[in-house]
């Protein structure tokens, strides 16, 4: 009888220990969520806002929901987390829904049916977590169709892992295909197999994001009615960040194995290979990649705006006193192996004491281009003649190579040594 009593006491002790440790996991869960939310809100410089909506407590379980916003209406979604607690261990299931915002807006996109779900586990003995995520839905795809166009996304998935001590999280991601049909522009666009890895650290006042490579297998956009077509094979971007308080410095490497732009209006198609761009950004904040994307978009669509560049998209860079220093750009034409280079030392920066972008912009980009590249460039001979007529090209020591530079300073623009009007 006495042995049974001790066995019973032992069983009760073990049960209480397990329950107590499980309750501790629930307490630790609340504390680490509080710390994570604080680090994210602070590390984003106030640009990310995570607001708790509901909390439902159960026995060794919890259901929480949050509203997550990036720059107000730029991007928002609802995050729901269901947690189960075990001794020094927990399992969380999550769902992201109600995705919306200006960053992903288009005239025909309705993201109500787009959801991301997954789970992660936390081990408090190892002070670590790991999880997976994937696109929700039985067919693992999303499609939004209206009269003004179609967008479909399929095969979103990935994993993540990290430790609490170094505030470091690693994300792996994969998207099988993104397809877009836009009647307004007439272009059908396809992005096949986007994949990569991201390392994220939330420090005081800044997010640091690094990647060894985000790549796309193939990008293709074509206009059936006009015959215009753009193809990129294996575009890739890698970058690393260095903290500077509330700002950071970013080293960037971009490459495209093959690029092709066909347009029946041109004298010839434009085809390049082994393209590369290496640059560094000083004093960048959380918005840099949005600013950089807007700059590239504007450059590619200047013809739609009467050939005008929208300087205001650089205003965030101006306010941060950011500098973009170009280490290398190389384009190699596929037909005659001509080259277009931007020389090291070219940079985009801003002078202080000016309140508008154009008058404070101090841009100097030096180019070198060969005759073979001009020959392969669409309407290249016409552009060469225009550059020669205005003394914008200077022949280098090589008989088939020219140099020039674009300068924008205090609102005045020049190519080579000559001022140009209405820049």
């Amino acid at each position: 009888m006495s042995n049974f009593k001790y066995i019973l006491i032992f069983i009760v002790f073990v049960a209480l220990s397990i329950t107590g440790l499980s309750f501790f996991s629930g307490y630790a869960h609340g504390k680490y969520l509080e710390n994570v939310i604080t680090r994210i809100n602070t590390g984003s410089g106030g640009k990310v806002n995570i607001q708790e909506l509901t909390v439902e407590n159960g026995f060794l379980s919890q259901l929480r929901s949050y509203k997550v916003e990036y720059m107000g209406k730029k991007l928002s979604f609802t995050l729901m987390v269901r947690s189960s607690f075990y001794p020094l261990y927990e399992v969380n299931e999550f769902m992201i829904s109600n995705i919306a915002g200006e960053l992903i807006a288009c005239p025909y996109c309705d993201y109500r049916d787009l959801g991301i779900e997954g789970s992660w586990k936390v081990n408090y003995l190892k002070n670590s977590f790991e999880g997976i995520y994937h696109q929700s839905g039985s067919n693992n795809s999303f499609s939004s169709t209206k009269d003004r166009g179609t967008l479909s996304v399929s095969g979103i998935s990935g994993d993540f892992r990290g430790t609490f001590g170094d505030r470091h999280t690693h994300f792996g991601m994969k998207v099988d295909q993104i397809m877009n049909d836009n009647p307004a522009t007439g272009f059908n666009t396809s992005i096949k197999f986007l994949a990569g890895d991201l390392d994220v650290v939330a420090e005081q006042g800044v997010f640091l994001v690094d990647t060894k490579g985000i790549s796309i297998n193939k990008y293709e956009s074509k206009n059936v009615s006009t015959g215009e077509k753009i193809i990129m094979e294996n575009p890739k971007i890698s970058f690393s960040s260095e903290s500077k308080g509330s700002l950071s410095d970013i080293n960037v490497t971009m490459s495209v194995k093959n690029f092709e732009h066909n347009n029946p209006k041109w004298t010839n198609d434009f085809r390049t290979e082994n393209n590369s761009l290496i640059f560094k950004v000083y004093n960048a904040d959380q918005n840099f990649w949005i600013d950089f994307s807007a700059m590239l978009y504007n450059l590619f669509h200047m013809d739609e705006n009467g050939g005008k560049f929208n300087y205001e998209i650089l205003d965030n860079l101006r306010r941060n006193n950011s500098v973009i220093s170009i280490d290398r750009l190389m384009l190699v034409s596929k037909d005659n192996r001509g080259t277009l280079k931007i020389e090291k030392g070219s940079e985009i920066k801003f002078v202080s004491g000016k309140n508008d972008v154009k008058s404070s912009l101090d841009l100097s980009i030096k180019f070198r281009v060969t005759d073979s590249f001009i020959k392969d460039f669409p309407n290249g001979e016409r552009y060469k003649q225009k550059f020669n007529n205005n003394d914008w090209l200077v022949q280098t020591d090589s008989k088939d190579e020219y140099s020039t530079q674009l300068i924008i300073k205090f609102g005045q623009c020049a190519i080579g040594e000559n001022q140009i009007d209405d820049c």
Side-chain angles (χ1 to χ4, degrees), residues 171-190:
F171 288 92
M173 63 177 183
K174 177 177 73 69
V175 181
D176 288 340
Q177 186 166 263
I178 302 172
M179 298 187 69
N180 170 225
D181 177 12
N182 190 340
T185 62
F187 278 90
N188 301 325
T189 302
S190 170

Short mmCIF file of all heavy atoms in Angstrom, two decimals, residues 171-190:
data_model
loop_
_atom_site.label_atom_id
_atom_site.label_comp_id
_atom_site.label_asym_id
_atom_site.label_seq_id
_atom_site.Cartn_x
_atom_site.Cartn_y
_atom_site.Cartn_z
N PHE A 171 14.78 33.15 -43.90
CA PHE A 171 13.60 32.79 -44.67
C PHE A 171 14.03 32.17 -46.00
O PHE A 171 14.89 32.73 -46.71
CB PHE A 171 12.75 34.03 -44.99
CG PHE A 171 12.01 34.59 -43.82
CD1 PHE A 171 12.58 35.59 -43.05
CD2 PHE A 171 10.75 34.13 -43.49
CE1 PHE A 171 11.90 36.12 -41.96
CE2 PHE A 171 10.06 34.66 -42.41
CZ PHE A 171 10.64 35.66 -41.64
N GLY A 172 13.47 31.03 -46.33
CA GLY A 172 13.57 30.49 -47.69
C GLY A 172 12.24 30.67 -48.37
O GLY A 172 11.18 30.54 -47.74
N MET A 173 12.24 31.00 -49.65
CA MET A 173 10.97 31.25 -50.34
C MET A 173 11.00 30.72 -51.75
O MET A 173 12.06 30.61 -52.39
CB MET A 173 10.66 32.75 -50.36
CG MET A 173 11.65 33.59 -51.13
SD MET A 173 11.15 35.32 -51.16
CE MET A 173 12.44 36.02 -52.20
N LYS A 174 9.80 30.39 -52.25
CA LYS A 174 9.67 29.88 -53.62
C LYS A 174 8.27 30.22 -54.14
O LYS A 174 7.29 30.08 -53.42
CB LYS A 174 9.88 28.37 -53.66
CG LYS A 174 9.70 27.73 -55.04
CD LYS A 174 10.00 26.25 -54.99
CE LYS A 174 8.89 25.48 -54.29
NZ LYS A 174 7.64 25.46 -55.09
N VAL A 175 8.21 30.71 -55.37
CA VAL A 175 6.94 30.94 -56.06
C VAL A 175 7.05 30.27 -57.42
O VAL A 175 7.95 30.60 -58.21
CB VAL A 175 6.64 32.44 -56.23
CG1 VAL A 175 5.29 32.63 -56.92
CG2 VAL A 175 6.64 33.15 -54.88
N ASP A 176 6.16 29.33 -57.70
CA ASP A 176 6.26 28.58 -58.95
C ASP A 176 6.00 29.45 -60.16
O ASP A 176 6.75 29.42 -61.14
CB ASP A 176 5.28 27.40 -58.95
CG ASP A 176 5.72 26.30 -58.00
OD1 ASP A 176 6.92 26.27 -57.66
OD2 ASP A 176 4.88 25.49 -57.60
N GLN A 177 4.93 30.27 -60.11
CA GLN A 177 4.60 31.06 -61.30
C GLN A 177 3.71 32.25 -60.94
O GLN A 177 2.83 32.14 -60.09
CB GLN A 177 3.90 30.19 -62.34
CG GLN A 177 3.63 30.90 -63.67
CD GLN A 177 3.25 29.94 -64.77
OE1 GLN A 177 4.08 29.53 -65.58
NE2 GLN A 177 2.00 29.57 -64.81
N ILE A 178 3.98 33.38 -61.60
CA ILE A 178 3.12 34.56 -61.54
C ILE A 178 2.76 34.93 -62.97
O ILE A 178 3.64 35.07 -63.82
CB ILE A 178 3.84 35.74 -60.86
CG1 ILE A 178 4.29 35.36 -59.46
CG2 ILE A 178 2.93 36.97 -60.81
CD1 ILE A 178 5.17 36.42 -58.80
N MET A 179 1.47 35.07 -63.24
CA MET A 179 1.01 35.41 -64.59
C MET A 179 0.09 36.61 -64.52
O MET A 179 -0.72 36.75 -63.60
CB MET A 179 0.31 34.22 -65.24
CG MET A 179 1.19 32.99 -65.41
SD MET A 179 0.41 31.66 -66.34
CE MET A 179 0.36 32.39 -67.98
N ASN A 180 0.23 37.50 -65.51
CA ASN A 180 -0.54 38.74 -65.54
C ASN A 180 -0.97 39.04 -66.96
O ASN A 180 -0.16 39.02 -67.89
CB ASN A 180 0.31 39.88 -64.97
CG ASN A 180 -0.32 41.25 -65.18
OD1 ASN A 180 0.36 42.19 -65.57
ND2 ASN A 180 -1.59 41.38 -64.92
N ASP A 181 -2.26 39.31 -67.14
CA ASP A 181 -2.81 39.72 -68.43
C ASP A 181 -3.41 41.10 -68.24
O ASP A 181 -4.37 41.27 -67.49
CB ASP A 181 -3.88 38.72 -68.88
CG ASP A 181 -4.54 39.13 -70.19
OD1 ASP A 181 -4.03 40.06 -70.84
OD2 ASP A 181 -5.59 38.55 -70.54
N ASN A 182 -2.82 42.13 -68.87
CA ASN A 182 -3.22 43.52 -68.65
C ASN A 182 -3.72 44.14 -69.96
O ASN A 182 -2.92 44.59 -70.78
CB ASN A 182 -2.03 44.32 -68.12
CG ASN A 182 -2.43 45.70 -67.65
OD1 ASN A 182 -3.46 46.24 -68.03
ND2 ASN A 182 -1.61 46.30 -66.80
N PRO A 183 -5.04 44.18 -70.17
CA PRO A 183 -5.58 44.77 -71.41
C PRO A 183 -5.24 46.25 -71.56
O PRO A 183 -5.18 46.76 -72.68
CB PRO A 183 -7.09 44.56 -71.25
CG PRO A 183 -7.24 43.44 -70.29
CD PRO A 183 -6.10 43.60 -69.33
N ALA A 184 -5.02 46.95 -70.46
CA ALA A 184 -4.71 48.39 -70.54
C ALA A 184 -3.40 48.63 -71.29
O ALA A 184 -3.28 49.58 -72.05
CB ALA A 184 -4.65 48.99 -69.14
N THR A 185 -2.42 47.77 -71.06
CA THR A 185 -1.14 47.90 -71.75
C THR A 185 -1.00 46.93 -72.92
O THR A 185 -0.13 47.10 -73.77
CB THR A 185 0.03 47.66 -70.78
OG1 THR A 185 -0.04 46.32 -70.28
CG2 THR A 185 -0.04 48.63 -69.62
N GLY A 186 -1.84 45.89 -72.92
CA GLY A 186 -1.76 44.87 -73.96
C GLY A 186 -0.71 43.81 -73.70
O GLY A 186 -0.51 42.92 -74.53
N PHE A 187 -0.04 43.86 -72.55
CA PHE A 187 1.04 42.91 -72.27
C PHE A 187 0.56 41.73 -71.44
O PHE A 187 -0.19 41.89 -70.47
CB PHE A 187 2.19 43.61 -71.53
CG PHE A 187 3.13 44.36 -72.43
CD1 PHE A 187 2.89 45.69 -72.74
CD2 PHE A 187 4.22 43.73 -72.98
CE1 PHE A 187 3.75 46.39 -73.57
CE2 PHE A 187 5.10 44.41 -73.82
CZ PHE A 187 4.86 45.74 -74.12
N ASN A 188 1.01 40.54 -71.83
CA ASN A 188 0.87 39.33 -71.02
C ASN A 188 2.24 39.03 -70.41
O ASN A 188 3.22 38.91 -71.13
CB ASN A 188 0.41 38.15 -71.87
CG ASN A 188 -0.92 38.41 -72.55
OD1 ASN A 188 -1.77 39.07 -71.98
ND2 ASN A 188 -1.09 37.92 -73.77
N THR A 189 2.29 38.90 -69.10
CA THR A 189 3.57 38.73 -68.40
C THR A 189 3.57 37.43 -67.62
O THR A 189 2.59 37.07 -66.99
CB THR A 189 3.82 39.91 -67.44
OG1 THR A 189 3.80 41.13 -68.19
CG2 THR A 189 5.16 39.77 -66.74
N SER A 190 4.72 36.75 -67.68
CA SER A 190 4.89 35.50 -66.95
C SER A 190 6.22 35.50 -66.22
O SER A 190 7.26 35.83 -66.81
CB SER A 190 4.83 34.31 -67.93
OG SER A 190 5.20 33.11 -67.29
#
